[in-house]
């Protein structure tokens, strides 16, 4: 078997404690004869990771390392994404796509510290996540091999996996098969599989994990105010708070109003179109508010040009090319654009919608004396005539040719 030829002695596994990664620990030991070090990260998925310590060891791992990466996630991944108003195909705020490179980066560190010769993950052979884990590993730890047991093993169904688990005395929770595949972190929840695979059918209410249906949301709108400093959100309703806290609060408040539900058919990197649901109240609110603030703080040329690079940024993040020269260069550009994006945005949340009610900034380029149709108008109306003559000159020349 190819497994033996790879000659792996120790491997660092991205471990969630679920059925797949539990079975993977045993399977790696059996099939590669290697030692497995488990790694689990808190990215704000709202799950207590402490019970995983015992579970990983009981399942056969030689060691488990658990890290709280919420602040690093906010500083190094979510902040640049907000600056870039990052939405893949205009809709998906990229929660899973942004979480993977951070986990992979740590996995490479763990593998090196522990003297492992490979990393392993529990992604399937059809998704983007396998690409993200492995491309990031290649970029940051090219000496490490990548193992993807789900692409390789003989366990075709969940029942076969459960049987394998029982045979190897791996504790399996007696839960019914989950109807959806889920992945969650601070920036949102990704929901796929099962009945969602029919893009013509409305998702059943039980597919949504942490948001209230707009139908059941409060009948009264709620107004909130978000403060930004150089494009980075740092205040909610006048109160300063660290970003992870602000995001948690917005997920709660927004989710309560049915905000942040996204239903889309997206183009995966591996060539498949897939129907996915996302729940990302904070991401949707923050990106929306950020754009509103940019509208008064950025000049016209920047407002028009920046979205071109935003599209590319989202694509690179989605493709797992986070640690690439182009993504880093685009981020450097984005940072420069945020110099004057400081101020506050007021929003109204109401039955699934977010709307803006006001924006303010001390570096605003909005000039009432130029904009007004009322008294105090400073705009030079007579200059408009000459401007139009010159601006319209090419049109005039073209018309003559006709
Ligand atoms: N389609 C999304 C992406 O590629 C979500 C993947 C979610 N993963 C999962 N295990 N449900 O980023």
């Amino acid at each position: 078997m190819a497994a033996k030829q790879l000659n792996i002695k120790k491997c660092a596994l991205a471990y969630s404690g679920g059925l797949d990664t539990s079975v993977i620990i045993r399977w790696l030991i059996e099939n590669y004869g290697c030692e497995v070090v488990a790694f689990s990260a808190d990215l704000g998925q709202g799950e207590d990771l402490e019970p995983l310590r015992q579970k990983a060891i009981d399942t056969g791992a030689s060691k488990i390392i658990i890290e709280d990466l919420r602040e690093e996630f906010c500083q190094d991944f979510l902040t640049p994404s907000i600056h870039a108003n990052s939405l893949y195909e205009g809709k998906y705020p990229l929660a899973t796509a942004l979480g993977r490179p951070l986990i992979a980066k740590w996995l490479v560190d763990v593998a090196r510290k522990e003297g492992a010769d490979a990393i392993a993950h529990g992604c399937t052979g059809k998704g983007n996540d396998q690409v993200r884990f492995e491309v990031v590993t290649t970029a940051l730890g090219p000496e490490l091999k990548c193992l993807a047991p789900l692409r390789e093993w003989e366990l075709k169904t969940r029942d076969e996996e459960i049987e394998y688990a029982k045979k190897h005395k791996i504790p399996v929770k007696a839960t019914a098969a989950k109807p959806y595949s889920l992945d969650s972190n601070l920036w949102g929840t990704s929901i796929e599989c099962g009945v969602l695979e029919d893009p013509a059918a409305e998702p059943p209410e039980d597919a949504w994990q942490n948001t209230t249906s707009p139908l059941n949301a409060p009948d009264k709108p709620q107004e909130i105010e978000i403060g930004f400093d150089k494009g980075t959100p740092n205040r909610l309703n006048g109160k300063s708070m660290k970003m992870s806290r602000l995001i948690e609060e917005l997920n709660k408040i927004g989710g309560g109003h049915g905000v942040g539900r996204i239903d889309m058919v997206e183009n995966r990197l591996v060539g498949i179109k897939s129907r996915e649901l996302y729940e990302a109240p904070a991401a949707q609110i923050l990106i929306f508010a950020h754009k509103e603030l940019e509208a008064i703080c950025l000049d016209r040329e920047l407002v028009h040009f920046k979205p071109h690079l935003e599209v590319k940024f989202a694509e690179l993040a989605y493709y797992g090319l986070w640690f690439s020269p182009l993504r880093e260069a685009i981020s450097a550009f984005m940072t420069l654009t945020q110099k004057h994006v400081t101020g506050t945005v007021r929003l109204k949340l109401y039955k699934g919608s977010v709307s803006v009610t006001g924006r303010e900034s001390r570096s605003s380029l909005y000039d009432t004396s130029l904009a007004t149709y009322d008294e105090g108008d400073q705009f030079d109306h007579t200059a408009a005539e000459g401007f139009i003559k010159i601006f319209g000159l090419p049109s005039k020349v073209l018309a003559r040719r006709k």
Side-chain angles (χ1 to χ4, degrees):
M1 198 187 177
K4 294 259 152 58
Q5 284 155 24
L6 277 174
N7 192 21
I8 284 156
K9 291 185 193 67
K10 203 186 219 184
C11 119
L13 167 71
Y15 175 69
S16 72
L19 178 65
D20 284 343
T21 53
S22 297
V23 170
I24 285 174
I25 293 181
R26 202 67 244 169
W27 188 90
L28 286 170
I29 296 169
E30 294 268 309
N31 289 271
Y32 283 81
C34 65
E35 186 184 329
V36 178
V37 175
F39 174 71
S40 304
D42 184 355
L43 296 186
Q45 60 269 49
E47 187 190 323
D48 180 15
L49 298 180
E50 275 312 306
L52 297 190
R53 286 194 196 282
Q54 197 54 48
K55 192 169 184 195
I57 303 301
D58 289 349
T59 311
S62 62
K63 186 173 181 178
I64 174 164
I65 295 163
I66 300 178
E67 291 287 341
D68 181 352
L69 303 182
R70 284 175 294 178
E71 288 316 308
E72 187 175 345
F73 191 41
C74 288
Q75 297 319 311
D76 296 351
F77 292 82
L78 302 187
T79 299
S81 299
I82 293 166
H83 293 172
N85 298 315
S86 190
L87 297 171
Y88 181 64
E89 296 183 341
K91 288 174 96 171
Y92 168 36
L94 293 159
T96 300
L98 293 166
R100 298 313 189 198
L102 177 56
I103 298 171
K105 175 187 163 221
W106 273 81
L107 210 51
V108 167
D109 277 0
V110 167
R112 284 187 173 151
K113 277 201 196 95
E114 298 295 323
D117 26 40
I119 65 103
H121 60 74
C123 308
T124 71
K126 285 178 80 165
N128 300 309
D129 288 333
Q130 52 172 348
V131 184
R132 296 168 184 149
F133 270 116
E134 296 179 35
V135 168
V136 170
T137 301
T138 306
L140 304 181
E143 78 283 8
L144 296 166
K145 300 202 172 66
C146 296
L147 306 179
L150 261 68
R151 282 201 305 248
E152 213 192 309
W153 71 22
E154 56 293 345
L155 306 170
K156 294 269 173 300
T157 63
R158 190 184 141 88
D159 285 344
E160 283 174 29
E161 263 189 70
I162 292 176
E163 204 181 305
Y164 184 96
K166 285 190 176 146
K167 200 171 109 202
H168 292 89
K169 306 213 166 23
I170 299 167
V172 186
K173 264 196 246 149
T175 51
K178 291 204 189 93
Y180 309 105
S181 161
L182 303 173
D183 179 63
S184 203
N185 64 42
L186 270 179
W187 209 226
T189 298
S190 305
I191 311 153
E192 52 187 22
C193 300
V195 295
L196 305 177
E197 286 173 1
D198 177 3
E202 185 181 1
E205 188 52 35
D206 80 345
W208 303 105
Q209 308 295 310
N210 341 286
T211 54
T212 303
S213 163
L215 288 173
N216 301 325
D219 290 323
K220 261 223 210 111
Q222 183 175 350
E223 197 161 62
I224 58 170
E225 187 188 85
I226 299 168
F228 290 85
D229 180 34
K230 294 192 171 61
T232 304
N234 65 352
R235 274 165 294 135
L236 178 60
N237 298 329
K239 219 167 96 194
S240 295
M241 55 184 80
K242 59 179 182 183
M243 202 196 283
S244 57
R245 168 86 199 289
L246 187 115
I247 292 171
E248 280 165 5
E249 293 280 320
L250 285 177
N251 276 331
K252 238 182 278 155
I253 300 171
H257 284 277
V259 168
R261 292 185 170 194
I262 299 155
D263 178 338
M264 77 186 278
V265 172
E266 76 192 32
N267 290 287
R268 283 193 194 165
L269 180 51
V270 293
I272 301 167
K273 278 193 193 293
S274 72
R275 198 289 186 87
E276 314 256 341
L277 302 186
Y278 299 106
E279 275 176 306
Q284 217 171 50
I285 291 169
L286 286 173
I287 291 173
F288 178 76
H290 180 252
K291 280 189 194 167
E292 288 297 328
L293 189 58
E294 286 191 327
I296 58 168
C297 296
L298 302 186
D299 72 281
R300 182 181 66 195
E301 296 312 306
L302 208 42
V303 169
H304 289 186
F305 178 76
K306 189 170 171 276
H308 296 289
L309 290 188
E310 292 175 358
V311 168
K312 194 66 198 175
F313 178 99
E315 190 180 279
L316 292 166
Y318 188 85
Y319 287 179
L321 296 175
W322 184 264
F323 297 103
S324 68
L326 183 54
R327 201 285 301 165
E328 282 163 14
I330 293 176
S331 282
F333 166 85
M334 294 296 170
T335 302
L336 215 56
T337 66
Q338 299 303 296
K339 193 167 161 196
H340 298 292
V341 186
T342 297
T344 56
V345 179
R346 251 180 307 107
L347 305 165
K348 210 175 249 176
L349 311 177
Y350 179 63
K351 292 196 179 288
S353 78
V354 194
S355 46
V356 62
T357 55
R359 46 318 238 169
E360 268 174 290
S361 168
R362 55 178 159 74
S363 1
S364 174
L365 299 171
Y366 186 91
D367 186 338
T368 308
S369 70
L370 290 176
T372 186
Y373 282 94
D374 297 333
E375 238 173 279
D377 182 9
Q378 301 280 319
F379 186 80
D380 183 352
H381 293 244
T382 58
E385 196 184 329
F387 167 74
I388 297 163
K389 223 180 239 165
I390 305 297
F391 178 73
L393 190 57
S395 306
K396 195 171 183 177
V397 174
L398 277 167
R400 256 195 243 134
R401 189 174 67 185
K402 276 192 218 136

